[in-house]
Amino acid sequence: MNRALTLDDLVLAGIALAAGLLLAFLSRTLLRWLAKHAKRTRWSGDDVIVDTLRSVVPWALVAGGLAAAAAVLPLTRTVQHHTDQVLQVWLIFVVTVSAARVVAGLVRTVTQSRSGVAGSATIFVNITRVLVLAIGFLVVLQTLGISIAPLLTALGVGGLAVALALQDTLANLFAGIHILASKTVQPGDYIRLSSGEEGYVIDINWRQTTVRQLSNNLVVIPNGQLAKENMTNFTRPEQQLTVLVQVGVSYDSDLEHVERVTTEVVADVMKDVSGAVPDHEPAVRFHTFGDSRIGFTVILGVGEFSDQYRIKHEFIKRLHRRYREEGIRIPSPTRTVALQQGSVVIPQQRAGEDVVPGAARAEQGRNGGGPTAP
């Protein structure tokens, strides 16, 4: 426009801007009210969506008010074009960041619901966030009139060089994706590697897997190493597992009585101790005639791996007390040490030398070296 700026233009622009700010304030208040109701639902995805809308909707309304104010003012075509581009880039940036937050939040919600209580697999969260931000960046370039075809070609050629330089990093990335996709390991599982590391899986990100030991120490394992190691997963296919306790009784024990008493103790432990499996069927299996005892195995049911220590502790205490009450003896291990008498080698007699027996020589020593009486 070539006309001069008037007071009416300023008033209309101010009204448009104030309307945008007022609508942004009202929308934020409304979304805050929706957020309170979203927290009452079981699905946590609505919390992520409402929280993201609280950041994108007010900024979009402010941008709309600025665009309306710019349309009212008598700006030149060049200034109007640049103003529209700035507002578009701003709006695209806000929408992209908000979309990245929504998608990452939903992915985190899904991974938490399927992986247990220990944490989320951030590898999927980071990948989705980077993809959404990259798409938004390309849209911004296209809005500014910058061709993205040469950029994509350069990224393709440069990506090959980067892939060659970052072989280990990419190997860990794809190993982490493979581990999660195959569902052999998920956050919350208790694992033990053949190299000795064990603990709860806290997180699997793009490079490494974090494991929390029972001592609350963190062990960081590269995904590539985790994929190569022989691993035992104590959480899959079922979280409940059985543990074995070795016991022995004396040979004069009534084995029927021993089995009945032990079974009663197992049943009491399964009902009373936290972390045990109440519907576990007690099992006692005799298996060995030992040197001083008859050995048998007691099978206990536990809810998850870390519960076994508390359950073993209570079971051994109660079983020992019950055996003492019932007169069942647990023999101490005995060992017989056989002493073998060694042979005495008498040296060969030299010419002209008398042979004195060892006892006679000892007697001579006691008599001060004198002759020994016959």
Side-chain angles (χ1 to χ4, degrees):
M1 298 182 181
N2 295 326
R3 64 183 181 84
L5 181 65
T6 63
L7 181 60
D8 294 338
D9 296 332
L10 294 176
V11 171
L12 292 176
I15 293 174
L17 182 59
L21 294 174
L22 179 61
L23 290 176
F25 175 76
L26 294 177
S27 65
R28 190 171 182 82
T29 303
L30 177 61
L31 290 172
R32 187 182 297 111
W33 177 79
L34 289 176
K36 294 180 180 179
H37 287 274
K39 292 181 179 179
R40 302 175 183 175
T41 60
R42 296 182 178 178
W43 185 50
S44 58
D46 54 356
D47 299 333
V48 176
I49 296 175
V50 173
D51 183 65
T52 304
L53 291 177
R54 289 177 60 183
S55 59
V56 64
V57 172
W59 287 109
L61 293 174
V62 171
L66 290 174
V72 171
L73 295 175
L75 303 177
T76 61
R77 182 173 300 177
T78 303
V79 175
Q80 183 71 34
H81 176 70
H82 290 304
T83 302
D84 293 340
Q85 278 190 335
V86 170
L87 293 175
Q88 289 177 5
V89 170
W90 183 16
L91 187 59
I92 292 173
F93 173 77
V94 172
V95 172
T96 301
V97 173
S98 302
R101 290 179 57 186
V102 170
V103 175
L106 293 177
V107 171
R108 182 180 294 107
T109 301
V110 173
T111 54
Q112 285 179 342
S113 63
R114 294 185 178 182
S115 302
V117 297
S120 63
T122 57
I123 181 172
F124 290 141
V125 176
N126 293 333
I127 289 176
T128 54
R129 183 183 291 114
V130 169
L131 288 177
V132 174
L133 292 177
I135 294 174
F137 177 71
L138 295 178
V139 173
V140 168
L141 294 180
Q142 194 70 26
T143 302
L144 296 177
I146 301 175
S147 178
I148 62 175
L151 179 62
L152 295 177
T153 304
L155 288 177
V157 177
L160 180 60
V162 172
L164 294 176
L166 301 177
Q167 293 183 11
D168 294 338
T169 302
L170 293 178
N172 290 326
L173 172 63
F174 288 109
I177 296 176
H178 171 71
I179 290 171
L180 288 174
S182 61
K183 295 185 178 180
T184 55
V185 179
Q186 295 289 325
D189 293 352
Y190 192 95
I191 63 173
R192 176 185 295 164
L193 302 182
S194 59
S195 56
E197 295 88 354
E198 64 176 89
Y200 289 98
V201 178
I202 298 299
D203 190 25
I204 304 176
N205 58 27
W206 61 275
R207 181 182 179 275
Q208 62 201 18
T209 298
T210 304
V211 175
R212 178 176 59 84
Q213 297 178 326
L214 294 179
S215 58
N216 280 334
N217 296 324
L218 295 181
V219 179
V220 179
I221 306 172
N223 293 332
Q225 178 183 351
L226 183 64
K228 295 178 183 178
E229 290 280 347
N230 294 331
M231 178 183 59
T232 303
N233 192 332
F234 293 94
T235 307
R236 298 180 184 276
E238 293 182 0
Q239 190 172 13
Q240 296 182 358
L241 66 154
T242 57
V243 294
L244 308 180
V245 179
Q246 304 299 327
V247 190
V249 294
S250 62
Y251 275 91
D252 57 357
S253 301
D254 183 359
L255 296 187
E256 295 293 339
H257 183 214
V258 171
E259 183 177 5
R260 182 173 63 256
V261 171
T262 306
T263 302
E264 293 175 359
V265 173
V266 173
D268 292 339
V269 170
M270 292 296 101
K271 294 178 181 178
D272 299 340
V273 181
S274 174
V277 182
D279 56 351
H280 171 74
E281 183 178 355
V284 178
R285 299 292 182 265
F286 295 95
H287 54 73
T288 305
F289 287 102
D291 294 336
S292 60
R293 63 179 62 193
I294 297 177
F296 61 94
T297 300
V298 181
I299 304 175
L300 305 175
V302 298
E304 58 106 8
F305 185 85
S306 63
D307 293 334
Q308 62 176 306
Y309 304 104
R310 179 175 60 256
I311 295 172
K312 284 183 179 180
H313 169 77
E314 289 294 331
F315 171 72
I316 292 175
K317 288 197 309 180
R318 297 188 183 191
L319 186 66
H320 182 262
R321 182 173 63 249
R322 185 69 183 278
Y323 277 6
R324 294 183 63 181
E325 295 174 354
E326 298 290 338
I328 300 174
R329 189 168 62 90
I330 302 177
S332 302
T334 59
R335 294 183 180 179
T336 303
V337 180
L339 298 179
Q340 183 178 3
Q341 183 178 5
S343 60
V344 178
V345 178
I346 301 176
Q348 186 177 3
Q349 181 183 4
R350 297 180 182 179
E353 182 180 2
D354 295 334
V355 177
V356 181
R361 292 184 180 180
E363 185 67 23
Q364 289 180 3
R366 288 193 296 269
N367 296 331
T372 305

